[in-house]
């Protein structure tokens, strides 16, 4: 029902440095000549992350990955406040 749960927030905060380091690696992975951002993942970077995590399968399809990336982008201004 709700996207924000205190328990989830606590887990994310506990792992915040690791999550930021992972994000930095993938947000900086765009090939030369493409626009790149250290604060946003492109769709290609997101798919690379999903592939490396091996989460794209019969349940979490490429279509789901695209929808998830689009939905997360809408929430980013509100995410991970210190």
């Amino acid at each position: 029902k709700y996207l924000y749960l205190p328990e989830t927030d606590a887990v994310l905060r506990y792992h915040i440095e690791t999550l930021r380091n992972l994000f930095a690696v993938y947000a900086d992975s765009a090939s030369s000549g493409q626009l790149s951002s250290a604060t946003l993942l492109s769709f290609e970077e997101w798919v690379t992350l999903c592939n490396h995590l091996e989460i794209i399968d019969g349940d979490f399809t490429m279509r789901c990955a695209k929808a998830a990336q689009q939905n997360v982008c809408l929430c980013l201004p509100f995410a991970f406040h210190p």
Side-chain angles (χ1 to χ4, degrees), residues 2-79:
Y2 298 102
L3 293 175
Y4 172 83
L5 296 174
E7 297 84 2
T8 304
D9 185 66
V11 170
L12 292 173
R13 286 180 190 275
Y14 181 80
H15 296 286
I16 193 69
E17 288 305 314
T18 300
L19 292 169
R20 285 185 179 171
N21 290 334
L22 282 169
F23 184 88
V25 168
Y26 285 93
D28 196 32
S29 68
S31 61
S32 299
Q34 293 181 336
L35 293 176
S36 179
S37 170
T39 58
L40 299 173
L41 289 178
S42 69
F43 181 68
E44 292 78 17
E45 292 164 339
W46 167 244
V47 169
T48 299
L49 173 61
C50 290
N51 285 328
H52 287 171
L53 293 173
E54 299 178 357
I55 61 172
I56 296 178
D57 59 18
D59 294 320
F60 187 77
T61 63
M62 186 61 71
R63 183 177 178 182
C64 293
K66 184 175 183 177
Q69 193 255 359
Q70 290 170 341
N71 289 333
V72 167
C73 287
L74 295 175
C75 299
L76 278 179
F78 310 105

